[in-house]
Amino acid sequence: MKIQLLTLLALWAFSSGLQAQDIIPLDTNHWDIQAEAYVLENYKGQQAIYLQRGLAMLKDREFFNGTIEFDIFLTERQSFPGVRFRAVDQQNMEVFYLRPHLSGKPDANQAIPLINGIMPFQLYFGPSYSVAYQYNFDDWTHVKVVVKDRKAQVYLDHAETPQLSWNLVHTPRSGKVAIGGGGAGPMHYANFKISEEAELKDFKVIAPQPIEGLVEEWEISDLFEEMVLDDLSQLEKVIINRKWAGKIQVEEGTAANISRQHRLRGQPGNTVFAKLTLQSEKDQTLLFEFGYSDRVVAILNGVPIYRGNNRWRSRDYRYLGTIGLFDAIYLNLKKGKNTLLFAVSEDFGGWLITGRFKDRSQITVLKE
């Protein structure tokens, strides 16, 4: 009996040791901390890191498929804490973050890719990428993210079933893992674990509703500074001097993502031309419905005809600037070839362009 008891105690100690080893210590030996400020401390009974405006990236380990878990002590201040994974570089990765200041609202969290340095929440929005959730601000919130190939799920507060399932955007590649997020509100993180277990449960995605009849492809120019558009006497020169970088296609059935073609930061310029070449059967006036982010100047055959601002909070304090066909212009087309340019400028949240003609019976969008 004594031998059996000792054996059980030894097995329990061994098991406990394995469980303890699953938790990766939150210290500078295991993490590369790049933040405005951080504190390593015991907080609310847990060994934690307090991060402000920055990330802690796990050293010497990459992640492909598996499960990521951690605890976070939320406050109601505006902040965007969460986890980043499959980070192939600083500009491209998958992300899941919380919006504790929007507790209970449909956008209380966000699953999103980081694409060339931009998190396009103005494109990836709605029930396909977020779920309403009421957060607890008096205790630790447990976050569990399960990733398998092109699919991911999140479980909050030890739920038995996932609250959110979504399709990952990037081609699956192994990459780094980080915790933290933007915004001025710092948060405590604790009990970080990674395993290779990648079991998906009841994987159901709410697919976005595509917009019918969109122009499917846009030609994109090189970068230039938005301010040059203020001097209309130089507009012809600005247009002539452009080089054409490539073509981008509509995603999510909603809009074309300019950040697929360009990185916003690290090089001069925050503006590109998105171009359509139109073959009109006759002189005619046609309605073109469009959407953009963040700001735009529309130019038809070298003549500016519209200027607008769809930036986050540009219209009221809760305005998100999400993309859709919320604007329209009447195009006075000449018979033959016409060039329609949209100078699209970006700050953050989505560098986007989209549009459609209500009637395409007397017009052709040329693919040059």
Side-chain angles (χ1 to χ4, degrees), residues 25 28 46 73 127 131-132 230 238 271 275 289 303:
T28 54
Q46 304 292 344
F73 203 96
V131 63
D230 294 335
V238 172
T271 304
K275 181 170 75 171
E289 300 173 311
V303 179

Side-chain angles (χ1 to χ4, degrees), residues 26 46 69-73 140-143 158 188-192:
L26 292 165
Q46 304 292 344
E69 296 184 70
F70 59 95
D71 293 321
I72 184 168
F73 203 96
W140 292 94
T141 294
H142 189 72
V143 180
H158 304 283
H188 283 91
Y189 298 79
N191 299 319
F192 185 91

Side-chain angles (χ1 to χ4, degrees), residues 222-234:
D222 57 352
L223 290 162
F224 60 94
E225 295 289 352
E226 183 179 10
M227 66 180 67
V228 304
L229 298 169
D230 294 335
D231 185 357
L232 293 183
S233 68
Q234 297 298 310

Side-chain angles (χ1 to χ4, degrees), residues 194-211:
I194 293 181
S195 75
E196 294 183 357
E197 182 180 348
E199 180 185 358
L200 299 172
K201 295 182 181 179
D202 192 27
F203 188 86
K204 295 179 182 178
V205 172
I206 301 174
Q209 188 68 34
I211 301 173

Side-chain angles (χ1 to χ4, degrees), residues 148-258:
K148 187 172 184 180
D149 301 328
R150 284 189 173 269
K151 299 177 179 180
Q153 295 182 307
V154 67
Y155 300 73
L156 298 173
D157 292 318
H158 304 283
E160 292 293 325
T161 56
Q163 283 96 349
L164 179 66
S165 301
W166 74 100
N167 291 314
L168 299 172
V169 174
H170 289 292
T171 300
R173 291 174 59 188
S174 179
K176 293 288 189 178
V177 176
I179 52 175
M187 296 286 171
H188 283 91
Y189 298 79
N191 299 319
F192 185 91
K193 297 191 294 184
I194 293 181
S195 75
E196 294 183 357
E197 182 180 348
E199 180 185 358
L200 299 172
K201 295 182 181 179
D202 192 27
F203 188 86
K204 295 179 182 178
V205 172
I206 301 174
Q209 188 68 34
I211 301 173
E212 299 295 329
L214 292 178
V215 174
E216 296 178 353
E217 184 177 80
W218 296 76
E219 190 169 7
I220 302 299
S221 77
D222 57 352
L223 290 162
F224 60 94
E225 295 289 352
E226 183 179 10
M227 66 180 67
V228 304
L229 298 169
D230 294 335
D231 185 357
L232 293 183
S233 68
Q234 297 298 310
L235 182 58
E236 182 179 3
K237 181 179 178 181
V238 172
I239 295 171
I240 291 173
N241 286 340
R242 298 280 59 81
K243 297 177 181 177
W244 295 93
K247 297 180 179 181
I248 56 174
Q249 286 72 41
V250 165
E251 301 179 30
E252 299 290 295
T254 304
N257 185 356
I258 295 167

Side-chain angles (χ1 to χ4, degrees), residues 300-321:
L300 178 62
N301 296 328
V303 179
I305 57 175
Y306 175 93
R307 188 177 194 126
N309 185 354
N310 192 49
R311 187 184 187 275
W312 177 72
R313 287 187 171 179
S314 60
R315 305 182 188 190
D316 63 60
Y317 78 101
R318 278 289 285 135
Y319 184 69
L320 299 177

Side-chain angles (χ1 to χ4, degrees), residues 218 239 244 273-276 296-302 339-343:
W218 296 76
I239 295 171
W244 295 93
F273 283 130
K275 181 170 75 171
L276 298 179
V296 78
V297 175
I299 303 161
L300 178 62
N301 296 328
T339 300
L340 179 60
L341 299 174
F342 287 91

